[in-house]
Amino acid sequence: MIYRYSSRRKRLDAAFLNDKLKGALSYDRIAGYFSSSLLEIAGEAIEQMQGCVRVVCNSEMQKEDVVTAGAAVNAMRREWCSKKPEELYSNAAARLKKFYHLIKSGKLLIKVLPNDVFGLIHGKAGVITLQDGSKTSFIGSVNETYAGWKLNYEVLWEDDSAEGVKWVQEEFDYFWHSPYAVPLAEFVIEDIKRISERKVIYSVEEWRKDPEPAAAVVEAPVYRQEFGLWEHQKYFVNLVYNAHKRSCGARYVLADMVGLGKTVQLALAAQLMAFHGDKPILVIAPKTLLWQWQDEINTLLDMPSAVWTGKEWVDENGIKYPASGDAAIKKCPRRVGIVSQGLITANSEQVQHLLNMEYECVIVDEAHRARRKNLGPGKEDEKPVPNNLLNFLLEISKRTKSMLLATATPVQMYPIEAWDLLNILSQGNDSVLGNPFSMWRRYPGRALNLIMQKEVLGRHDRENWEWLRNPFPPTSEGEMTFGRIRRQLGMQDDEFVIKPEVIEQLSGPDLRRIGRIIDDNFIVEHNPFIRHIVRRTRDFLENTINPETGEPYLKKVEVELLGESDDEAIVLPPYLREAYGYAEEFCELLQKRVKGGGFLKALLLKRLGSTIIAGKNTAEKMLSNWGNAADEEDYEEDDVAEDKVLKNQIKNMTDEERACLVKFIRALEANKEKDPKYKLLLKLLLEEKWLERGCIIFTQYYDSAHWVAENLSMDLPHEKIGIYAGGDRSGIIVDGLYEKRSKEEIKRMVRQREIRILVGTDAASEGLNLQTLGCLVNLDLPWNPTRLEQRKGRIQRIGQVYEKVYIYNMRYKDSVEDRVHALLSERFASIYGMFGQIPDVLEDVWIDVALKNIEEAKRKIDAMPKKHPFELRYHVNVGKVDWESCAKVLDSIEKRRHLMVGWR
């Protein structure tokens, strides 16, 4: 900004400015960066004015941030928090309070401008309408450091000429009325109030005297570096922690749909429990999610942990703790230990040592993998034959105060699967299904039939009392029913079983009350499934109004899905059709010789369906050394076990098999055109302008990701193309030159819009927030259908800057993906609607289709229920939990110190 000075300018100090403001009618002010100049403004004598003040500030926002009001708020929130105002203004409580009251009273109005639209507004200027109606203007520079506003000394130039006043007013009006000017975010305003009242708690012991969850989380990275927690997340954490404080502990299945942030809910609940007590926290997760768990809880909650590799513990800094013997697993160097489910399913010797310990809380991710082997219609009342994981959880449940099981599909196919999860929680705890003599535990088949209303108890059937009394519902489910009876019997909140003969002691009114409870459909409305399975769907949260705000609990991000219709499938060009033929011929030869050869066929066709380069690389590695090909796959645990058998057999390939693979490679090499999927991708980015909105491109394989990123960097000169992959293979490519970068750097560059295109493997489908990207391309379709939802969750999430996001699912016509799509497309929506995600059991369908076992694939699809086995009438399980205004804060150093203490 260039100022023109008139001959009537005068050099003044800040005290003179305050004198001018006394009794002034109005004051229009151009300030510096909002995050640093607000306190300076609060130092001026605004409260002595008659009228109001309008202030326009600069910001680190970009113009893309003001596309929507939500994006602008998020950008301001992030900038404000990044300056650590709770530390910067720790000695400015009085000035912060004054500033807050000026805004809330309407005396102070503030707008914020993006930095990249108008450049830096370093100086300050203003127009003051004095008490007598005359006007004066001023310009000057300002030192916006802490020392600057504390000393309150500045140099100003006053100009009260008509020309000077007119010029400064025009400058102000230009900024104030700009379409890019947005009001100061409400979050910033309320955070100023919170900081002005802030008091630090310096020990966990002191916090325990009044254990307010908000004090432990309100300044965690999830609040200060991200966008906070959703209402449904806070509700669950609050529910769990309040239950943990009671003697019975917390016992819940968290069954939220994919993309609603289960990990942070579980981890935050565990953190509060770790502060509340002193016993270990154990997290059991699939092997593929161990490091993601560690990274996410450290990044979002500043929560250190250690991962057990099978041989040693590794902490959040990558430091290893070598140890010998199976008992080493008991020597976790952190309060939170993360262990692989694979250790348990393999029935390792180390497992027994875990069962010899006592825990504050045990968390199990992907808990539906704990299953009985004797599943099937009519088998509900058979004694369960548990797999290793289920057997282990039934035992460790007795060794922990609280237990949380997480799964988006508590029912994969059969209702008894949900009962099995509750039965895990019931071990050594009467609050879930009652004691071992309860009807809910002894007759699970009958219990499920009653819930699904396949059976109905008569009103005067004495058996009603047996279902009601054990477990007896808590007061929270009915103050005038269950609460009244509890008071009559002197039952405490942590008592859940009424002796059978007690019904004889109840008076007439209470007997009638029991009758009313049964008449009110007790079995369906107050059963243990509702009480201990917490499940929220995206649809419910997006379409249910929060009475506190008048807006939905979850901001709706509309998804437009492309590539689904038959005419949108990519036609296989002749050379690819030929290559597919050779791949199938090779696998038919292989199946004659090698047991499990179909898996190799599935693998080859999967990679060919991803990109030409992925298919070609796989075939070349098969010809040279199968082991190398296998090492680079993004395998699930089951695939790894199968691969160990296969790679020893593939080495002795016959001449006929080799010749077939050579022809497969030559068919791909003969092509001189671009990969068809790549051509479509480039069209979407340029012609459909997805590049401008920002795009994440998913593929299952790293070689596909690298090849696509490399080609995009050549076709889009000077554009930074990000790669986000497992291990240390993340980086950026510009003009064909690759530079390794950390995952954290990649995240930051995407957040700040330095990267508009990110190519990721499924390592990017969990724990990565991509709110600044408005489009997603699935270059290939994962064979575990749940991953599609996980991928979508990267952009369909809180803080998304666009109200609508676009997703394109690419597949070749007549390929394996296309054949599976044809079989599943009609059922996907209904299955997803019933179960909340696509059950993992459908992953086998892909293998069947790859092997052309179409009838077997259809049989598995048809075995899926046509409607949900039972429609749980879950309680709302969401509500207002105000943590954001909490002024008490548990010291961050003390929190981390407490969590750094190992298992004892």
Side-chain angles (χ1 to χ4, degrees):
M1 184 187 303
I2 300 174
Y3 292 106
R4 295 169 297 173
Y5 303 123
S6 80
S7 60
R8 298 180 60 184
R9 63 180 186 242
K10 305 173 194 173
R11 180 171 174 167
L12 309 165
D13 63 13
F16 177 84
L17 175 61
N18 285 343
D19 287 339
K20 292 283 184 180
L21 291 174
K22 291 177 182 178
L25 302 180
S26 67
Y27 177 24
D28 287 343
R29 171 83 144 80
I30 298 172
Y33 280 105
F34 88 90
S35 53
S36 55
S37 63
L38 298 186
L39 268 291
E40 176 215 345
I41 298 166
E44 297 174 2
I46 296 172
E47 72 277 12
Q48 298 180 38
M49 292 177 52
Q50 292 185 42
C52 72
V53 183
R54 296 188 300 174
V55 177
V56 62
C57 299
N58 196 27
S59 166
E60 293 174 3
M61 283 192 299
Q62 298 174 330
K63 60 184 178 183
E64 291 87 356
D65 289 323
V66 297
V67 170
T68 64
V73 167
N74 292 336
M76 267 186 273
R77 174 179 182 149
R78 193 183 294 279
E79 180 181 343
W80 169 253
C81 292
S82 70
K83 307 300 181 184
K84 297 188 176 179
E86 62 274 14
E87 298 176 10
L88 184 64
Y89 303 138
S90 58
N91 296 317
R95 197 170 282 202
L96 287 171
K97 287 178 182 176
K98 173 185 170 183
F99 185 83
Y100 176 78
H101 290 301
L102 287 170
I103 291 179
K104 298 304 283 188
S105 67
K107 198 174 190 70
L108 177 59
L109 306 175
I110 299 175
K111 286 188 178 182
V112 181
L113 289 161
N115 181 43
D116 65 344
V117 175
F118 299 106
L120 299 177
I121 305 175
H122 279 304
K124 72 176 182 181
V127 174
I128 302 172
T129 303
L130 303 174
Q131 195 170 14
D132 62 2
S134 63
K135 294 187 177 185
T136 188
S137 65
F138 66 86
I139 56 175
S141 62
V142 53
N143 179 359
E144 291 174 356
T145 64
Y146 170 77
W149 59 257
K150 184 178 181 182
L151 293 172
N152 199 25
Y153 177 79
E154 300 158 9
V155 176
L156 305 173
W157 293 96
E158 184 189 14
D159 189 340
D160 57 5
S161 69
E163 179 192 19
V165 169
K166 180 175 181 293
W167 182 84
V168 176
Q169 187 67 57
E170 286 175 350
E171 289 287 293
F172 174 86
D173 291 343
Y174 176 74
F175 291 136
W176 183 262
H177 297 296
S178 166
Y180 292 104
V182 293
L184 183 64
E186 188 67 22
F187 170 84
V188 175
I189 297 169
E190 293 304 319
D191 202 49
I192 287 170
K193 178 177 184 291
R194 186 189 69 81
I195 295 171
S196 74
E197 300 168 350
R198 184 174 180 265
K199 288 182 173 54
V200 180
I201 303 169
Y202 287 102
S203 75
V204 167
E205 289 70 25
E206 184 184 349
W207 176 82
R208 286 175 178 174
K209 295 175 185 176
D210 182 19
E212 172 58 51
V217 69
V218 73
E219 289 185 4
V222 71
Y223 267 97
R224 309 308 284 178
Q225 296 171 21
E226 298 296 332
F227 300 106
L229 296 169
W230 299 337
E231 294 297 341
H232 73 277
Q233 292 176 312
K234 292 187 290 182
Y235 180 94
F236 177 77
V237 174
N238 215 44
L239 174 74
V240 167
Y241 181 61
N242 286 334
H244 182 76
K245 289 190 290 186
R246 298 193 291 268
S247 61
C248 58
R251 301 268 167 157
Y252 292 99
V253 176
L254 179 58
D256 284 349
M257 287 178 66
V258 170
L260 295 183
K262 287 192 290 292
T263 302
V264 73
Q265 295 178 73
L266 297 165
L268 182 50
Q271 188 179 79
L272 293 171
M273 293 181 206
F275 295 149
H276 186 84
D278 297 310
K279 293 178 182 177
I281 305 289
L282 175 64
V283 176
I284 302 169
K287 183 178 180 180
T288 53
L289 300 180
L290 294 180
W291 304 106
Q292 176 196 308
W293 255 91
Q294 185 178 61
D295 177 67
E296 193 164 340
I297 66 177
N298 192 44
T299 302
L300 295 179
L301 300 176
D302 194 26
M303 186 174 179
S305 65
V307 171
W308 178 253
T309 66
K311 298 178 181 178
E312 59 193 1
W313 287 101
V314 181
D315 70 19
E316 70 286 348
N317 297 311
I319 298 173
K320 298 177 180 179
Y321 296 77
S324 58
D326 293 333
I329 197 172
K330 298 172 67 174
K331 299 176 182 178
C332 179
R334 296 288 184 266
R335 194 66 186 288
V336 179
I338 308 172
V339 172
S340 169
Q341 283 185 6
L343 185 77
I344 296 159
T345 55
N347 205 19
S348 165
E349 294 289 333
Q350 300 163 354
V351 168
Q352 189 56 45
H353 292 288
L354 292 176
L355 292 174
N356 291 335
M357 297 178 63
E358 298 283 339
Y359 301 92
E360 197 74 32
C361 180
V362 172
I363 293 173
V364 186
D365 200 1
E366 301 292 317
H368 59 266
R369 297 186 179 193
R371 310 181 84 202
R372 60 171 70 193
K373 298 176 182 178
N374 51 331
L375 281 166
K379 297 182 178 181
E380 290 81 6
D381 286 324
E382 290 183 10
K383 184 178 180 180
V385 180
N387 63 11
N388 287 344
L389 181 58
L390 177 55
N391 192 55
F392 173 83
L393 296 183
L394 288 167
E395 288 301 313
I396 204 167
S397 176
K398 303 169 187 175
R399 314 288 297 175
T400 182
K401 180 177 181 180
S402 290
M403 193 169 196
L404 305 176
L405 307 178
T407 171
T409 50
V411 175
Q412 287 267 305
M413 289 186 70
Y414 303 103
I416 195 65
E417 293 171 291
W419 183 89
D420 282 338
L421 295 179
L422 293 187
N423 192 39
I424 292 170
L425 301 179
S426 294
Q427 303 307 301
N429 193 301
D430 294 345
S431 68
V432 185
L433 292 175
N435 66 25
F437 303 104
S438 79
M439 303 291 279
W440 296 98
R441 291 178 73 171
R442 291 165 60 201
Y443 306 109
R446 186 104 187 277
L448 293 168
N449 283 341
L450 288 169
I451 293 173
M452 294 185 285
Q453 296 182 294
K454 291 182 178 180
E455 291 185 42
V456 179
L457 292 172
R459 177 183 176 186
H460 301 293
D461 193 332
R462 190 176 177 87
E463 189 184 357
N464 276 305
W465 172 241
E466 294 301 314
W467 291 98
L468 175 61
R469 72 172 185 84
N470 187 3
F472 192 73
T475 300
S476 59
E477 290 189 25
E479 178 66 37
M480 299 308 295
T481 50
F482 307 117
R484 177 70 178 267
I485 293 171
R486 280 178 169 273
R487 290 191 293 274
Q488 175 82 5
L489 299 176
M491 287 181 71
Q492 300 299 314
D493 286 342
D494 54 1
E495 290 182 79
F496 293 92
V497 180
I498 301 176
K499 292 180 181 179
E501 64 272 15
V502 166
I503 194 170
E504 309 295 341
Q505 303 171 15
L506 294 174
S507 62
D510 288 319
L511 277 175
R512 289 193 294 274
R513 188 168 286 106
I514 288 175
R516 286 198 299 274
I517 290 171
I518 293 166
D519 283 348
D520 288 341
N521 208 6
F522 156 73
I523 291 288
V524 173
E525 300 295 340
H526 296 280
N527 65 71
F529 290 76
I530 289 174
R531 196 171 303 128
H532 292 278
I533 299 179
V534 176
R535 174 175 173 75
R536 284 74 58 97
T537 65
R538 180 175 287 277
D539 181 68
F540 170 79
L541 294 173
E542 288 179 343
N543 292 289
T544 302
I545 299 299
N546 179 349
E548 296 282 337
T549 64
E551 297 178 353
Y553 281 107
L554 190 63
K555 177 191 170 186
K556 186 167 186 175
V557 179
E558 186 181 346
V559 176
E560 184 166 330
L561 191 57
L562 305 169
E564 290 296 288
S565 64
D566 190 57
D567 60 355
E568 287 179 310
I570 303 168
V571 176
L572 274 170
Y575 72 92
L576 270 183
R577 190 176 296 278
E578 182 183 2
Y580 255 91
Y582 288 133
E584 293 185 341
E585 182 184 340
F586 164 76
C587 294
E588 287 167 6
L589 291 170
L590 196 66
Q591 279 181 276
K592 295 175 183 177
R593 182 176 64 82
V594 180
K595 183 180 179 182
F599 173 72
L600 288 178
K601 173 184 178 179
L603 169 64
L604 188 58
L605 292 179
K606 274 175 72 177
R607 291 182 65 95
L608 181 60
S610 175
T611 58
I612 292 173
I613 195 70
K616 180 172 173 287
N617 286 352
T618 301
E620 288 175 342
K621 290 171 183 175
M622 285 179 174
L623 283 172
S624 59
N625 186 334
W626 165 253
N628 289 342
D631 290 343
E632 292 190 12
E633 293 297 332
D634 293 328
Y635 282 144
E636 295 290 313
E637 289 178 82
D638 294 341
D639 295 330
V640 173
E642 191 170 2
D643 177 48
K644 288 179 181 177
V645 177
L646 292 173
K647 68 180 180 181
N648 291 326
Q649 300 177 5
I650 194 69
K651 292 178 181 177
N652 301 317
M653 202 179 298
T654 67
D655 290 342
E656 194 176 6
E657 290 165 357
R658 284 182 170 278
C660 197
L661 273 185
V662 169
K663 287 188 282 187
F664 169 80
I665 293 169
R666 285 176 179 169
L668 296 179
E669 288 178 336
N671 169 57
K672 301 300 181 185
E673 297 179 7
K674 286 282 190 183
D675 185 305
K677 286 190 174 181
Y678 180 81
K679 288 169 68 176
L680 176 56
L681 173 62
L682 206 56
K683 178 177 181 290
L684 291 170
L685 291 173
L686 297 178
E687 295 181 25
E688 301 299 325
K689 302 189 183 306
W690 285 21
L691 173 60
E692 295 178 13
R693 292 170 58 89
C695 185
I696 169 75
I697 301 154
F698 272 110
T699 173
Q700 297 174 80
Y701 306 108
Y702 179 75
D703 47 6
S704 288
H706 191 278
W707 180 84
V708 166
E710 191 173 46
N711 277 268
L712 285 174
S713 77
M714 301 303 290
D715 287 329
L716 303 171
H718 313 307
E719 188 76 31
K720 292 178 182 175
I721 311 297
I723 298 180
Y724 195 98
D728 61 350
R729 297 182 293 183
S730 298
I732 59 171
I733 300 182
V734 182
D735 298 330
L737 298 176
Y738 173 79
E739 182 182 345
K740 185 181 290 186
R741 295 290 184 91
S742 70
K743 289 181 181 177
E744 286 306 310
E745 263 191 292
I746 298 293
K747 291 180 190 178
R748 178 191 61 77
M749 293 175 77
V750 172
R751 187 166 59 239
Q752 296 180 354
R753 292 190 172 86
E754 294 177 43
I755 292 176
R756 296 190 293 175
I757 300 177
L758 186 64
V759 187
T761 64
D762 281 302
S765 68
E766 287 283 355
L768 182 62
N769 303 328
L770 301 173
Q771 295 96 332
T772 59
L773 305 181
C775 305
L776 184 153
V777 173
N778 285 309
L779 204 64
D780 47 44
L781 302 182
W783 290 34
N784 179 341
T786 298
R787 286 191 180 177
L788 274 177
E789 284 303 310
Q790 291 169 337
R791 290 177 176 184
K792 185 176 73 170
R794 297 314 96 208
I795 62 172
Q796 189 187 19
R797 61 190 307 108
I798 189 171
Q800 171 54 247
V801 300
Y802 296 99
E803 294 179 356
K804 177 191 281 192
V805 295
Y806 297 91
I807 297 176
Y808 202 111
N809 290 334
M810 292 188 179
R811 70 186 193 283
Y812 286 121
K813 193 170 182 60
D814 299 326
S815 66
V816 174
E817 287 85 353
D818 194 45
R819 294 199 292 267
V820 172
H821 188 272
L823 281 173
L824 288 180
S825 58
E826 292 184 6
R827 295 294 312 281
F828 260 144
S830 59
I831 291 171
Y832 181 78
M834 287 188 293
F835 293 95
Q837 74 174 55
I838 308 302
D840 292 345
V841 294
L842 285 184
E843 185 174 359
D844 294 341
V845 170
W846 293 79
I847 305 297
D848 291 323
V849 174
L851 301 180
K852 295 188 176 177
N853 297 333
I854 304 300
E855 293 306 314
E856 177 63 14
K858 287 182 177 179
R859 185 193 67 76
K860 289 176 180 175
I861 295 171
D862 291 341
M864 297 298 297
K866 300 299 183 290
K867 64 177 183 178
H868 199 291
F870 55 91
E871 295 180 4
L872 295 180
R873 289 168 174 80
Y874 299 98
H875 291 312
V876 173
N877 282 326
V878 65
K880 178 64 177 175
V881 179
D882 179 20
W883 286 351
E884 290 74 12
S885 64
C886 181
K888 289 183 179 179
V889 179
L890 180 57
D891 181 62
S892 59
I893 296 175
E894 168 67 2
K895 287 198 303 181
R896 199 164 181 91
R897 182 198 65 77
H898 193 81
L899 296 169
M900 295 280 279
V901 177
W903 291 358
R904 298 196 275 270

